[in-house]
Amino acid sequence: MKIVMLGAPGAGKGTQAAMICEKYDIPHISTGDIFRSNIKNGTELGKKAKEYMDQGKLVPDELTIQLLLDRVAKDDCKNGYVLDGFPRTIPQAQVLTEALAKTGEKVDFAINVDVPDENIVHRMSGRRSCPKCGASYHTTYIPPKREGICDVCGAELIQRDDDKPETVKNRLSVYHEQTQPLIDYYEKAGVLKTVDGTKDKDEVFGDIVAILG
Ligand code: AMP
């Protein structure tokens, strides 16, 4: 089962992706997480990616596409995977389609987690993440048990630089220009499924499970 998560930044697609991966026991592949781990480790890729990410821009396709193709070629991806944050541009989607077609495969579901823009800014400004283990929270929707502290590993939670209000505005306009066209792309491919992302996270997950079967 190969699943692509679509939706604006902050729509909750990362949370849903993690829940799907746990239920179906397939890997959760987030290009954003891969870039953040490269930034943390001070790699060349991390340095280059950070320049774009801090401005709310997309990391160029030349740095992103091969990284993703190498990741999905790994052994743990044999039974499928959930892509969270990839593709984000039509060229990325085309490369993925072509790479899968070589082995007679395709994206089985593109799940569009639909949330109107007005909800997004509130959602993103409340997002917090754990710099140590990567767990994500929201001050209103997914609060940690102890304020500001990670439930999983006890580290102090942070607000990602790219979740700060000025960056959020840029990320939303980048989303509308470059990523929203993917909704049409996957609709034409006959695999698009849209869920109402304004519902409670467990309800959204129930809707997704009903789709995936
Ligand atoms: P995310 O964690 O998916 O919200 O991604 C955070 C940031 O990483 C984005 O705002 C982009 O700067 C960068 N990024 C993640 N995935 C991609 C991608 N597929 N293409 C280009 N940039 C990406």
Side-chain angles (χ1 to χ4, degrees):
M1 189 151 60
K2 290 171 210 69
I3 301 169
V4 161
M5 301 302 291
L6 298 176
K13 58 186 189 309
T15 304
Q16 295 301 327
M19 292 166 86
I20 297 169
C21 292
E22 199 186 332
K23 180 169 169 72
Y24 295 95
D25 198 20
I26 48 179
H28 177 184
I29 300 176
S30 154
T31 37
D33 282 350
I34 298 175
F35 289 134
R36 280 185 288 277
S37 115
N38 275 274
I39 293 174
K40 203 169 150 194
N41 295 327
T43 68
E44 270 314 302
L45 172 67
K47 280 180 203 150
K48 287 186 192 151
K50 189 173 185 332
E51 282 175 39
Y52 297 93
M53 291 167 76
D54 282 354
Q55 299 175 59
K57 292 183 183 165
L58 293 186
V59 177
D61 284 348
E62 311 81 271
L63 297 179
T64 309
I65 290 176
Q66 197 54 47
L67 182 89
L68 188 280
L69 293 179
D70 291 346
R71 178 64 189 87
V72 296
K74 294 207 165 136
D75 265 3
D76 64 335
C77 290
K78 281 205 179 99
N79 295 326
Y81 43 79
V82 178
L83 299 185
D84 165 16
F86 187 101
R88 256 184 162 97
T89 62
I90 294 283
Q92 290 182 10
Q94 285 167 338
V95 169
L96 179 64
T97 302
E98 284 156 20
L100 288 172
K102 282 185 191 150
T103 46
E105 295 169 289
K106 66 178 186 64
V107 167
D108 300 297
F109 297 96
I111 309 278
N112 175 29
V113 183
D114 187 37
V115 175
D117 274 11
E118 49 275 25
N119 300 26
I120 293 289
V121 177
H122 170 66
R123 284 178 172 228
M124 288 177 81
S125 57
R127 290 215 301 203
R128 297 293 180 271
S129 60
C130 176
K132 211 165 147 199
C133 75
S136 40
Y137 299 89
H138 191 283
T139 49
T140 313
Y141 307 114
I142 320 169
K145 292 192 183 82
R146 279 172 58 211
E147 197 185 322
I149 303 293
C150 179
D151 291 348
V152 181
C153 72
E156 201 166 322
L157 300 179
I158 54 157
Q159 182 175 43
R160 276 165 40 181
D161 283 341
D162 60 350
D163 282 341
K164 302 205 162 133
E166 54 291 358
T167 315
V168 168
K169 243 182 84 204
N170 286 340
R171 293 176 73 195
L172 263 180
S173 62
V174 165
Y175 168 74
H176 287 300
E177 277 164 34
Q178 302 193 54
T179 308
Q180 210 169 20
L182 295 177
I183 293 176
D184 265 3
Y185 180 90
Y186 284 111
E187 168 109 74
K188 285 191 186 121
V191 295
L192 182 77
K193 304 282 174 191
T194 296
V195 294
D196 177 357
T198 63
K199 293 186 190 170
D200 168 85
K201 78 172 175 25
D202 293 322
E203 277 181 81
V204 179
F205 185 57
D207 293 345
I208 292 176
V209 170
I211 290 165
L212 301 178

